[in-house]
Amino acid sequence: GVQTCALPISDEGDPGAFMDRAVLESDPHRVIEGMIIAGYAVGASHGYIYVRAEYPLAIKRLQQAVRDATRRGLLGPNLCETKFSFSIELRLGAGAFVCGEETALIASIEGGRGLPHPRPPYPANVGLFGKPTLINNVETFANIAPIIRNGGRWFADIGTASSRGTKVFALAGKIQHSGLIEVPMGVTLREIVFDLGGGIPEGKKFKAVQTGGPSGGGMPEQCLGMPVDYESLVKAGSIMGSGGMIVMDESSSMVDVARFFMEFCRDESCGKCVPCRVGTYQMLGLLEKLLRKEATRKDLDLLKHLCDVVQNTSMCGLGQTAPNPVFSTLRYFGSEYDELLQDGMPANQAAGISQEARS
């Protein structure tokens, strides 16, 4: 059967992330060219570009780029007078974070609700409309043409032995210079935050940088010398994710940061599986209880247990990574949790809070 290239373009739901949007608004032909080459390589004849509807300028420029490429004979039947044919359609998403997961993305493109389903079968065998489907992100397709032009060795020489090439990050939060940066894999967090980002404004101290958005973790000062690559981040309790980086200074409460990301995950959960639907709700409630200084050590132990259950039993990546901000802040900033516990306070204060909570 005919294969289909599907592309989860610009469905970056992470707070503060807009890497794909910048690529599509500035050079959409680069992505289209990568899709055509990928389609030729796998024998696909049709491609879909999945763009979130909140990116109107990216959509406008993509539509124009597809029209221009079609008029020039670079899309459509018999490309460049060969037997290869390839066409591209745009699909607009409603901004659901879970549609970054490939099976939910496929369901959305097919016109259904963006709900993930168990694998196997994998999209490479049974994907969009039941056809074998190649799914990649914007940066991957945008890199194809330069790699072919300059050679694989050129690309492999950038970055580290296990994480090749460059990565685009979106710097946000308590930092002098926010915006997009592109750096070789393996650059340290210190170089990103202090050299490229200009450090922390108003003379305040660095506290943490959240990598991987709601699915990642907060990296403290002792991790600043760590190289930014896939393996190092996972080892430190975070992930690369789409490339969002949120910097926090000494005024930030890491428990409140965990609460913010947990609230995001709860709101974005599709609700299909119980661990994610119920677990994120319960974890958020426990974090809010902590911040109200009404929680006990038993509540904190329950939070840790729930994080473990949700991570290991959720169906898709949203639920599996939702506990990461809690795990990382417990690991590196556990004292902030202890300070908020009722039983970590003087007895008279704890009793006063318990009485207030009951009333």
Side-chain angles (χ1 to χ4, degrees), residues 155-178:
F155 188 80
D157 286 342
I158 306 170
T160 67
S162 55
S163 297
R164 311 284 189 176
T166 64
K167 182 74 182 80
V168 179
F169 293 100
L171 277 178
K174 304 294 181 65
I175 194 161
Q176 292 279 10
H177 310 306
S178 59

Short mmCIF file of all heavy atoms in Angstrom, two decimals, residues 155-178:
data_model
loop_
_atom_site.label_atom_id
_atom_site.label_comp_id
_atom_site.label_asym_id
_atom_site.label_seq_id
_atom_site.Cartn_x
_atom_site.Cartn_y
_atom_site.Cartn_z
N PHE A 155 27.68 16.47 9.72
CA PHE A 155 26.70 16.55 10.80
C PHE A 155 27.18 15.77 12.02
O PHE A 155 27.02 16.21 13.16
CB PHE A 155 25.35 16.00 10.31
CG PHE A 155 24.22 16.19 11.28
CD1 PHE A 155 23.57 17.42 11.37
CD2 PHE A 155 23.78 15.16 12.10
CE1 PHE A 155 22.52 17.61 12.25
CE2 PHE A 155 22.73 15.34 12.98
CZ PHE A 155 22.10 16.57 13.05
N ALA A 156 27.79 14.59 11.77
CA ALA A 156 28.23 13.74 12.88
C ALA A 156 29.37 14.38 13.67
O ALA A 156 29.57 14.06 14.85
CB ALA A 156 28.67 12.38 12.35
N ASP A 157 30.13 15.26 13.04
CA ASP A 157 31.23 15.93 13.73
C ASP A 157 30.74 17.00 14.71
O ASP A 157 31.52 17.52 15.51
CB ASP A 157 32.19 16.57 12.72
CG ASP A 157 33.05 15.54 12.02
OD1 ASP A 157 33.15 14.41 12.53
OD2 ASP A 157 33.62 15.84 10.94
N ILE A 158 29.47 17.37 14.62
CA ILE A 158 28.87 18.34 15.55
C ILE A 158 28.24 17.57 16.70
O ILE A 158 27.57 16.56 16.49
CB ILE A 158 27.80 19.20 14.85
CG1 ILE A 158 28.36 19.87 13.60
CG2 ILE A 158 27.25 20.25 15.81
CD1 ILE A 158 27.31 20.53 12.74
N GLY A 159 28.44 18.03 17.91
CA GLY A 159 27.80 17.38 19.06
C GLY A 159 28.70 16.35 19.71
O GLY A 159 29.93 16.43 19.65
N THR A 160 28.08 15.35 20.34
CA THR A 160 28.81 14.31 21.07
C THR A 160 28.72 12.98 20.32
O THR A 160 28.02 12.87 19.31
CB THR A 160 28.24 14.14 22.49
OG1 THR A 160 26.90 13.61 22.40
CG2 THR A 160 28.21 15.46 23.22
N ALA A 161 29.42 11.97 20.84
CA ALA A 161 29.46 10.67 20.17
C ALA A 161 28.08 10.02 20.09
O ALA A 161 27.76 9.34 19.12
CB ALA A 161 30.43 9.75 20.89
N SER A 162 27.25 10.25 21.11
CA SER A 162 25.94 9.60 21.14
C SER A 162 24.79 10.55 20.78
O SER A 162 23.69 10.10 20.46
CB SER A 162 25.67 8.99 22.52
OG SER A 162 25.82 9.97 23.53
N SER A 163 25.03 11.85 20.86
CA SER A 163 24.00 12.85 20.50
C SER A 163 24.59 13.78 19.45
O SER A 163 25.33 14.71 19.77
CB SER A 163 23.57 13.65 21.75
OG SER A 163 22.97 12.81 22.71
N ARG A 164 24.25 13.53 18.20
CA ARG A 164 24.88 14.26 17.09
C ARG A 164 24.13 15.54 16.78
O ARG A 164 22.95 15.70 17.06
CB ARG A 164 24.90 13.38 15.84
CG ARG A 164 25.43 11.98 16.04
CD ARG A 164 26.93 11.95 16.15
NE ARG A 164 27.45 10.59 16.14
CZ ARG A 164 28.73 10.27 16.15
NH1 ARG A 164 29.63 11.23 16.18
NH2 ARG A 164 29.12 9.01 16.15
N GLY A 165 24.85 16.45 16.12
CA GLY A 165 24.23 17.65 15.57
C GLY A 165 23.99 18.74 16.60
O GLY A 165 24.61 18.80 17.66
N THR A 166 23.05 19.61 16.25
CA THR A 166 22.71 20.75 17.11
C THR A 166 21.29 20.59 17.65
O THR A 166 20.53 19.74 17.19
CB THR A 166 22.80 22.08 16.34
OG1 THR A 166 21.81 22.08 15.30
CG2 THR A 166 24.18 22.28 15.74
N LYS A 167 20.94 21.43 18.60
CA LYS A 167 19.57 21.44 19.14
C LYS A 167 19.15 22.88 19.37
O LYS A 167 19.94 23.71 19.82
CB LYS A 167 19.52 20.68 20.47
CG LYS A 167 18.12 20.60 21.08
CD LYS A 167 17.26 19.63 20.31
CE LYS A 167 15.84 19.56 20.87
NZ LYS A 167 15.01 20.69 20.41
N VAL A 168 17.90 23.16 19.03
CA VAL A 168 17.34 24.49 19.27
C VAL A 168 16.61 24.47 20.61
O VAL A 168 15.82 23.57 20.89
CB VAL A 168 16.36 24.89 18.15
CG1 VAL A 168 15.77 26.27 18.42
CG2 VAL A 168 17.07 24.88 16.80
N PHE A 169 16.91 25.46 21.44
CA PHE A 169 16.25 25.59 22.75
C PHE A 169 15.55 26.94 22.83
O PHE A 169 15.99 27.92 22.23
CB PHE A 169 17.28 25.49 23.88
CG PHE A 169 17.92 24.14 24.02
CD1 PHE A 169 19.18 23.90 23.52
CD2 PHE A 169 17.24 23.11 24.65
CE1 PHE A 169 19.77 22.66 23.65
CE2 PHE A 169 17.81 21.85 24.78
CZ PHE A 169 19.09 21.63 24.28
N ALA A 170 14.47 26.96 23.60
CA ALA A 170 13.76 28.21 23.88
C ALA A 170 14.04 28.59 25.33
O ALA A 170 13.58 27.92 26.25
CB ALA A 170 12.26 28.04 23.66
N LEU A 171 14.82 29.64 25.52
CA LEU A 171 15.16 30.12 26.86
C LEU A 171 14.07 31.05 27.37
O LEU A 171 13.68 32.00 26.68
CB LEU A 171 16.49 30.87 26.83
CG LEU A 171 17.78 30.04 26.91
CD1 LEU A 171 18.99 30.95 26.81
CD2 LEU A 171 17.84 29.22 28.18
N ALA A 172 13.60 30.81 28.57
CA ALA A 172 12.55 31.65 29.17
C ALA A 172 12.76 31.70 30.68
O ALA A 172 13.63 31.03 31.23
CB ALA A 172 11.17 31.10 28.82
N GLY A 173 11.95 32.50 31.33
CA GLY A 173 12.01 32.59 32.78
C GLY A 173 12.90 33.72 33.27
O GLY A 173 13.01 34.78 32.62
N LYS A 174 13.56 33.51 34.42
CA LYS A 174 14.38 34.55 35.07
C LYS A 174 15.76 34.58 34.43
O LYS A 174 16.74 34.07 34.99
CB LYS A 174 14.47 34.25 36.57
CG LYS A 174 13.13 34.13 37.27
CD LYS A 174 12.36 35.43 37.28
CE LYS A 174 11.03 35.30 38.01
NZ LYS A 174 11.13 35.00 39.42
N ILE A 175 15.84 35.16 33.24
CA ILE A 175 17.10 35.20 32.50
C ILE A 175 17.18 36.51 31.72
O ILE A 175 16.15 37.06 31.29
CB ILE A 175 17.23 33.96 31.58
CG1 ILE A 175 18.66 33.81 31.07
CG2 ILE A 175 16.23 34.01 30.43
CD1 ILE A 175 18.97 32.42 30.56
N GLN A 176 18.40 37.00 31.53
CA GLN A 176 18.59 38.30 30.86
C GLN A 176 18.11 38.29 29.42
O GLN A 176 17.40 39.17 28.98
CB GLN A 176 20.08 38.70 30.89
CG GLN A 176 20.63 39.02 32.26
CD GLN A 176 20.30 40.45 32.71
OE1 GLN A 176 19.51 41.15 32.08
NE2 GLN A 176 20.90 40.86 33.80
N HIS A 177 18.53 37.25 28.66
CA HIS A 177 18.23 37.21 27.23
C HIS A 177 17.36 35.98 26.93
O HIS A 177 17.88 34.87 26.81
CB HIS A 177 19.51 37.15 26.40
CG HIS A 177 20.52 38.19 26.76
ND1 HIS A 177 20.21 39.54 26.80
CD2 HIS A 177 21.83 38.10 27.13
CE1 HIS A 177 21.29 40.23 27.16
NE2 HIS A 177 22.28 39.38 27.37
N SER A 178 16.07 36.18 26.83
CA SER A 178 15.18 35.07 26.49
C SER A 178 15.05 34.98 24.98
O SER A 178 15.34 35.92 24.25
CB SER A 178 13.81 35.27 27.14
OG SER A 178 13.23 36.49 26.69
#
